[in-house]
Amino acid sequence: MEQNPKMAQVTTISLHRLVSEFAGFGADALQKSRNEYDTLRYRVFASTWNVGGVAPQDDLDLEDWLDTKACNCYDIYVLGFQEMVPLNARNVLGPKNSSISSRWNQLIGDALNHTGRRREEEEGARAHHEQKQFRCVTSKQMVGVFLSVWVRSGLRRHVRHLGVSCVGAGVLGRLGNKGAVSLRFLLHGTSFCFVCCHLASGSKDGDVLLRNVDAADILSRTRFRPRRTVVPDEELPTQILDHDRVVLLGDLNYRISMDDAQARLLVSANKWSTLLEKDELLLELGKGRRFEGWSEGLVTFSPTYKYHRNSDKFYWWIDSGGTGVRRRQKQQRAPAWYVWLWPVHLS
């Protein structure tokens, strides 16, 4: 989804947000007795956004996207970005431009903590504010792929054994214009892994297989450094699928496998179920070629690709001089659900 920040503020809230509850075990209970457990539940907000190489404006407001009005409902925020910088040779081969990721983190922190500051002023409760404030536990950028994870301040001390791994799958199968940034940690004895991906693009015959190869490459090549723990029973996984809870999110680039004109007509008629019957990702799942055993949420929204910047209009239609008369673009882009969230619960 190549959209500007304002467009994604509108669409991401309803289209690309995953809120899930994860059960964990209280660390104190584990120390007291192996047979006595206090079950804790945490709500995780996961969202992804292909920003199309556009740097954020300093006054960009992310509160709608991050649903900060319901901020007290979430304990962990996992935010993935693709094309944080333009994917040109200079950015792919040259030094990392960390200033852009720092700007995004600043905006995220401002949005997440604004609600807490306002509540403190209204209620005059500093302790309450400190409990609700969010902190960035870690973030990592690989060219245009960026993953940033935030938790409540009161929860931060329970997040341990952080690890990050980057896998490039772009040019020559190794460069970072495509690939994944993965992050893992241990929370109350439960291991979490979050994977932010940007897979191969293209709508030609056979391109779907390139996306499958990228996905398989990311799952097989991603490795976290083994770490010794104080508690002998705390085994830290080194591979993605060995974790207790895994979420994969990003711009997977799977397309709608049908005639472009027909797909556009179905989009105009809001025929999502008909379009999904031809969704490449679901077709690959049905054939058992990729993501076997993984699950996704119900799709009840329009395709996420491709919109004009600063608008909610699809790329193949433009308004002629504000007259309301639509005309076709010379460069047409077929609609697709590019951005997905994949919650996976492994037992």
Side-chain angles (χ1 to χ4, degrees):
M1 177 183 65
E2 296 179 358
Q3 299 175 326
N4 67 1
K6 292 187 177 180
M7 180 60 193
Q9 284 184 60
V10 175
T11 60
T12 307
I13 267 297
S14 59
L15 306 189
H16 319 305
R17 187 180 67 218
L18 164 70
V19 177
S20 182
E21 290 189 353
F22 293 109
F25 296 110
D28 294 337
L30 285 171
Q31 294 175 1
K32 291 179 181 178
S33 172
R34 293 186 180 183
N35 298 322
E36 297 179 1
Y37 298 98
D38 292 334
T39 300
L40 302 175
R41 291 192 176 274
Y42 298 105
R43 286 176 63 83
V44 178
F45 177 111
S47 188
T48 183
W49 184 4
N50 185 323
V51 297
V54 178
Q57 299 177 357
D58 292 336
D59 60 349
L60 177 62
D61 187 351
L62 299 180
E63 292 192 6
D64 284 344
W65 176 34
L66 302 180
D67 196 20
T68 56
K69 290 183 179 179
C71 198
N72 60 330
C73 296
Y74 311 123
D75 302 292
I76 301 171
Y77 276 82
V78 181
L79 305 173
F81 296 82
Q82 303 81 42
E83 297 190 38
M84 172 167 286
V85 296
L87 301 182
N88 53 39
R90 178 179 180 181
N91 287 327
V92 173
L93 300 174
K96 181 177 66 176
N97 184 353
S98 60
S99 63
I100 301 297
S101 57
S102 297
R103 287 173 64 183
W104 278 109
N105 269 341
Q106 180 65 50
L107 292 168
I108 293 167
D110 289 345
L112 290 180
N113 293 317
H114 179 261
T115 300
R117 291 196 299 270
R118 183 169 60 248
R119 187 174 292 116
E120 179 189 61
E121 294 172 358
E122 294 173 352
E123 299 178 5
R126 177 176 296 276
H128 181 74
H129 163 63
E130 292 176 350
Q131 180 67 21
K132 298 298 181 181
Q133 190 177 29
F134 284 88
R135 295 175 56 191
C136 180
V137 293
T138 192
S139 63
K140 181 65 176 180
Q141 178 185 355
M142 179 187 71
V143 189
V145 181
F146 178 61
L147 184 61
S148 184
V149 177
W150 298 68
V151 302
R152 293 191 180 280
S153 292
L155 193 61
R156 175 62 183 90
R157 63 189 179 93
H158 301 293
V159 176
R160 296 175 296 122
H161 306 306
L162 286 159
V164 176
S165 178
C166 298
V167 170
V171 179
L172 302 177
R174 288 294 185 270
L175 296 187
N177 55 305
K178 293 292 190 294
V181 173
S182 302
L183 182 148
R184 70 95 184 271
F185 58 79
L186 203 65
L187 175 61
H188 292 310
T190 298
S191 60
F192 288 78
C193 184
F194 299 97
V195 185
C196 180
C197 294
H198 195 185
L199 305 187
S201 60
S203 55
K204 301 187 299 295
D205 291 341
D207 284 342
V208 62
L209 300 179
L210 299 179
R211 292 184 266 282
N212 289 347
V213 169
D214 282 355
D217 205 29
I218 288 166
L219 292 176
S220 65
R221 287 175 51 207
T222 297
R223 290 288 190 279
F224 298 99
R225 292 182 180 179
R227 298 182 61 177
R228 294 183 178 181
T229 61
V230 177
V231 182
D233 291 341
E234 288 185 353
E235 295 184 4
L236 294 177
T238 59
Q239 294 184 278
I240 291 174
L241 296 181
D242 292 335
H243 291 77
D244 298 318
R245 298 290 183 264
V246 180
V247 175
L248 187 149
L249 64 160
D251 186 346
L252 305 191
N253 260 320
Y254 287 97
R255 313 300 174 94
I256 297 173
S257 183
M258 67 167 56
D259 177 75
D260 291 353
Q262 182 184 3
R264 295 187 186 100
L265 289 174
L266 291 171
V267 169
S268 300
N270 295 340
K271 300 291 186 179
W272 313 143
S273 59
T274 305
L275 286 165
L276 285 168
E277 292 175 0
K278 296 296 184 179
D279 180 75
E280 283 183 349
L281 185 52
L282 297 182
L283 292 174
E284 294 304 295
L285 275 169
K287 297 173 183 177
R289 291 179 176 173
R290 192 53 50 213
F291 298 111
E292 183 178 359
W294 294 58
S295 61
E296 65 165 327
L298 183 65
V299 178
T300 59
F301 48 83
S302 63
T304 60
Y305 182 85
K306 181 181 183 181
Y307 292 86
H308 289 285
R309 299 191 188 279
N310 295 309
S311 81
D312 58 357
K313 303 298 182 184
F314 279 106
Y315 195 73
W316 65 87
W317 290 111
I318 60 174
D319 191 342
S320 300
T323 62
V325 178
R326 296 186 298 181
R327 61 182 176 85
R328 290 189 181 277
Q329 288 252 101
K330 291 183 178 180
Q331 185 184 18
Q332 298 181 9
R333 299 293 180 93
W337 280 282
Y338 272 21
V339 185
W340 292 83
L341 296 170
W342 284 85
V344 180
H345 301 275
L346 303 175
S347 58

